[in-house]
Amino acid sequence: MTDHAERTEPPHRPRPERPGGPGDAPPPRSRTRPLYELRRWPRSFADRLTAPLPGVRALARLAREGAVRPGAEGLRDTPLLPFAPGPLPAADPSGLAVTWAGHASWVLSIGGLTVLTDPVWSRRILGTPARLTPVGVPWEDLPRIDAVVISHNHFDHLDAPTLRRLPHGTPVFVPAGLGRWFRRRRYTRVTELDWWEGAELPAPGGRGVRFDFVPAHHWSKRTLTDTCRSLWGGWVLTAFSGRSVYFAGDTGYGHWFKEIARRHPGLDVALLPIGAYEPRWWLGDVHTDPEEAVRAFEVLGARHMAPMHWATFVLSAEPVLEPLTRVRAAWSRTGRPRDELWDLPVGGSRTLP
């Protein structure tokens, strides 16, 4: 297991100003690891689970109730799902641009790099119907991809057919224990990180990005025999200029958001999941609903929130358009400025200079 007591931070990355008075203790800092390091990991990360995984009784209840997909009424609004692809924003090495390709897939322009998150360009993934909306960014319209981040190994976040489209030398940042999956497929620049660890990827002109791996309330499994054999989490990407974005991956609501805020104050954008939440007794521990996502955003103290993990695949029982209507209602109740909610259509973009 990684020793978290030893923590360092590069001197050239400016930290955003921390709230509080001069007498407050500084937040702990993530340990910096070298790129592409070959590491040994424990056989299981089950001790990191926030809540126990469902047992036989829960599985029997799910089979009995059968409430895993919306009915015809819940699918009726599929034609209304927002889909408005546009050109990718022009790269601004000192700014930040986010483009939602659908589900948890984003095209991020930050620190002079183009980064993909959990890229899934496939029309269908294992165990689900075909996509409800097309991919928001055609693959051929992508610029050169400088890095990829993966949150965990579930099929709707780790998609082998999409990853095969990338050169094997593309830098990939993955959770602890997942590196072997990539190395078996001949990816040569794989960086595995534990929670509260980071690594830096330079860009031309003295620019670049720090990739910090942070906890999530979730789990991992890809086959019948690998439950929790690799870790799960989110990523904080911070440009050397100071711009930052938090990509939550898959997560339920819980105490980690407060700790992420303490260690990464002043986030510019939080990319937070709002879908795949019904039934709550089954999914509440591992997927935030729209109201919880807004609450998490407020705890994080970020400046903007961009919802994701909806409008793409049918993974659960809520009506397909409900995540959007509920997140907008929850946002309205906070009294925050409307323009701080980036409720993008699939294919939509926002930028910060």
Side-chain angles (χ1 to χ4, degrees):
M1 191 70 69
T2 301
D3 177 10
H4 291 286
E6 178 187 348
R7 303 184 186 280
T8 59
E9 185 178 39
H12 58 270
R13 181 172 72 90
R15 288 188 72 84
E17 187 173 327
R18 179 176 49 86
D24 291 346
R29 296 173 176 177
S30 295
R31 184 180 182 184
T32 301
R33 304 293 306 200
L35 293 169
Y36 321 134
E37 180 183 20
L38 191 62
R39 306 174 67 178
R40 293 174 65 100
W41 300 106
R43 183 171 176 81
S44 173
F45 293 91
D47 60 327
R48 308 289 187 91
L49 291 168
T50 305
L53 295 177
V56 175
R57 288 185 179 181
L59 292 169
R61 178 181 173 184
L62 187 69
R64 185 171 64 251
E65 295 182 359
V68 294
R69 298 287 186 268
E73 184 69 16
L75 293 170
R76 182 186 60 186
D77 290 330
T78 298
L80 302 179
L81 292 173
F83 177 73
L88 289 170
D92 177 0
S94 62
L96 170 65
V98 303
T99 301
W100 189 32
H103 202 54
S105 302
W106 294 85
V107 184
L108 307 179
S109 176
I110 181 171
L113 300 176
T114 299
V115 181
L116 295 184
T117 71
D118 288 0
V120 179
W121 261 250
S122 295
R123 182 173 177 269
R124 186 187 298 271
I125 56 173
L126 185 67
T128 70
R131 301 177 77 105
L132 297 174
T133 50
V135 182
V137 183
W139 188 263
E140 58 272 17
D141 290 351
L142 290 171
R144 190 190 77 165
I145 302 305
D146 299 299
V148 173
V149 298
I150 301 294
S151 64
H152 65 298
N153 71 353
H154 287 159
F155 283 90
D156 58 322
H157 294 260
L158 177 60
D159 183 54
T162 299
L163 292 167
R164 281 198 293 268
R165 300 185 182 195
L166 293 166
H168 285 88
T170 304
V172 182
F173 294 82
V174 305
L178 194 53
R180 58 182 173 267
W181 188 93
F182 283 87
R183 286 189 288 271
R184 283 199 301 265
R185 289 158 178 80
R186 303 193 305 278
Y187 292 90
T188 59
R189 303 173 73 189
V190 181
T191 302
E192 288 179 275
L193 296 176
D194 202 343
W195 290 348
W196 310 126
E197 291 183 341
E200 296 178 357
L201 185 63
R207 298 180 293 269
V209 174
R210 180 179 173 89
F211 295 74
D212 282 292
F213 191 50
V214 298
H217 301 275
H218 205 63
W219 64 302
S220 68
K221 183 181 181 67
R222 196 167 177 88
T223 71
L224 293 175
T225 60
D226 68 349
T227 302
C228 297
R229 294 284 180 88
S230 61
L231 198 49
W232 51 91
W235 293 91
V236 175
L237 277 58
T238 308
F240 294 170
S241 64
R243 284 290 187 206
S244 59
V245 57
Y246 165 54
F247 168 65
D250 244 355
T251 183
Y253 187 84
H255 66 285
W256 287 128
F257 294 114
K258 183 176 181 180
E259 185 63 15
I260 292 168
R262 192 165 76 97
R263 293 172 182 249
H264 296 280
L267 293 165
D268 286 305
V269 184
L271 311 175
L272 291 167
I274 66 167
Y277 52 79
E278 288 290 350
R280 293 311 286 152
W281 67 265
W282 174 253
L283 294 169
D285 290 330
V286 294
H287 287 166
T288 50
D289 64 22
E291 293 78 14
E292 289 170 331
V294 172
R295 198 159 91 226
F297 166 76
E298 294 194 292
V299 171
L300 287 163
R303 297 185 176 95
H304 304 88
M305 171 181 166
M308 64 172 184
H309 206 265
W310 79 284
T312 309
F313 296 109
V314 177
L315 301 174
S316 55
E318 73 272 4
V320 294
L321 198 58
E322 183 181 276
L324 181 62
T325 58
R326 282 178 56 173
V327 79
R328 286 174 172 172
W331 187 270
S332 178
R333 290 192 293 270
T334 69
R336 302 184 67 92
R338 182 62 178 81
D339 61 2
E340 292 179 359
L341 176 64
W342 291 359
D343 47 344
L344 299 174
V346 175
S349 301
R350 285 290 178 90
T351 62
L352 291 173

